[in-house]
């Protein structure tokens, strides 16, 4: 079975500063990886996904993430954040070639962007 | 395209009462999921449907929770009787097929059991 650990529960950062949200996963098989964003009182929205190929994945709103198989990590980065990026961010993993589609989520990282 | 619709948005009930949630997925999406998101935690899968068949309900507390997806479209999730620990946001998500290209989530139903 797979699991996800988001290493920081809260990340405060000033506007226009860079940010990294850390995610580590555990699985005995190959995986697909995802980052979702959740704004207050809304559902989750897919930011980006890694399925195969290039380990650097670009998503919406200027976010990118890098898949590191040896370190079993999938950290999310943005070079310059805006106030509007304040939200909850979830990392998720799905195992390849098993119960296709089922994702396991981390417990989230609250990103707070301060002016 | 229209998103995943869920209703109601909010529900407050007393413990031991019953409650039902409704989800209408994106048209053509064969796979539908119900997730439970307790405050401060990530979503936890309750049940996965492929068309109108259950693919995975291993984490569904079957003594009190039930779900169905008639005609492979809309789905309802029911809790009977509710417990205090069922207070959570119940999220419905759909996907075009059972390959994990990412879900589209609804806005969720926030349940408070008092």
């Amino acid at each position: 079975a797979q699991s996800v650990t988001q290493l920081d529960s809260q990340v405060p950062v000033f506007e226009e500063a860079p940010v990294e949200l850390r995610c580590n996963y555990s699985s005995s098989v190959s995986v697909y990886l995802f980052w979702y964003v959740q704004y207050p009182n809304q559902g989750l929205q897919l930011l980006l996904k890694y399925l195969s190929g290039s380990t650097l994945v670009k998503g919406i709103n200027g976010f990118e993430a890098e898949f590191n198989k040896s370190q079993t990590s999938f950290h999310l980065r943005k070079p310059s954040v805006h106030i509007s990026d304040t939200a909850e961010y979830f990392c998720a993993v799905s195992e390849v070639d098993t119960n296709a589609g089922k994702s396991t989520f981390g417990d989230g990282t609250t990103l707070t962007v301060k002016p | 395209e229209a998103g995943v619709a869920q209703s109601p948005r909010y529900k407050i009930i007393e413990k031991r009462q019953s409650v039902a949630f409704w989800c209408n997925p994106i048209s053509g999406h064969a796979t539908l999921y119900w997730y439970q998101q307790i405050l401060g935690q990530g979503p936890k899968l309750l049940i996965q449907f492929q068309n109108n068949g259950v693919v995975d309900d291993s984490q569904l507390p079957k003594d009190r929770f039930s779900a169905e997806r008639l005609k492979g479209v809309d789905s309802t999730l029911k809790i009977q009787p509710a417990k205090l620990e069922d207070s959570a946001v119940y999220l419905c998500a759909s996907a075009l097929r059972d390959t994990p290209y990412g879900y589209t989530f609804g806005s969720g139903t926030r349940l408070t059991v008092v």
Side-chain angles (χ1 to χ4, degrees), chain A residues 32 34 36 41 100-103, chain B residues 9 35 37 42 56 98 100 103 106:
Chain A
Y32 302 122
F34 308 86
Y36 289 83
N41 298 315
K102 182 174 72 171
S103 285
Chain B
R9 285 300 309 275
Y35 277 83
Q37 185 178 18
D56 185 350
D98 62 358
Y103 306 158

Side-chain angles (χ1 to χ4, degrees), chain A residues 33 49-58 65-68 74:
Chain A
L33 293 155
K49 57 183 178 282
Y50 170 79
L51 303 180
S52 65
S54 173
T55 58
L56 183 62
V57 179
K58 294 188 183 298
E66 186 159 18
F67 170 54
N68 188 319
F74 190 55

Side-chain angles (χ1 to χ4, degrees), chain B residues 4-113:
Chain B
V4 176
Q6 289 189 248
S7 67
R9 285 300 309 275
Y10 305 94
K11 191 74 176 178
I12 301 174
I13 62 171
E14 295 183 350
K15 59 183 178 184
R16 292 187 289 274
Q17 286 188 321
S18 63
V19 64
F21 313 126
W22 173 81
C23 172
N24 179 239
I26 292 175
S27 178
H29 279 197
T31 310
L32 184 147
Y33 308 85
W34 282 101
Y35 277 83
Q36 180 192 57
Q37 185 178 18
I38 293 172
L39 186 64
Q41 298 181 19
K44 302 289 192 296
L45 180 68
L46 290 175
I47 189 167
Q48 176 185 351
F49 291 95
Q50 180 73 14
N51 296 309
N52 60 348
V54 175
V55 175
D56 185 350
D57 64 355
S58 59
Q59 299 303 309
L60 189 73
K62 299 181 186 63
D63 58 332
R64 298 184 301 106
F65 286 65
S66 63
E68 61 181 6
R69 189 182 185 196
L70 298 176
K71 300 180 181 179
V73 182
D74 293 4
S75 177
T76 56
L77 176 69
K78 297 179 182 177
I79 308 175
Q80 183 178 12
K83 293 185 176 181
L84 296 177
E85 58 261 36
D86 298 331
S87 293
V89 176
Y90 291 85
L91 293 164
C92 178
S94 69
L96 186 59
R97 48 188 173 176
D98 62 358
T99 48
Y101 293 116
Y103 306 158
T104 301
F105 279 89
S107 297
T109 296
R110 182 177 297 276
L111 173 67
T112 303
V113 182

Side-chain angles (χ1 to χ4, degrees), chain A residues 23-100:
Chain A
C23 172
N24 283 82
Y25 69 92
S26 174
S27 176
S28 57
V29 300
S30 297
V31 297
Y32 302 122
L33 293 155
F34 308 86
W35 276 98
Y36 289 83
V37 60
Q38 187 176 34
Y39 299 103
N41 298 315
Q42 295 187 26
L44 282 72
Q45 178 185 2
L46 183 65
L47 267 181
L48 49 78
K49 57 183 178 282
Y50 170 79
L51 303 180
S52 65
S54 173
T55 58
L56 183 62
V57 179
K58 294 188 183 298
I60 62 172
N61 301 340
F63 284 93
E64 64 181 31
E66 186 159 18
F67 170 54
N68 188 319
K69 187 175 181 179
S70 62
Q71 297 187 8
T72 61
S73 68
F74 190 55
H75 300 332
L76 181 70
R77 302 185 182 101
K78 186 170 183 178
S80 176
V81 294
H82 303 290
I83 297 288
S84 59
D85 292 323
T86 295
E88 188 85 10
Y89 291 80
F90 292 93
C91 181
V93 61
S94 294
E95 292 185 337
V96 177
D97 295 334
T98 56
N99 184 3

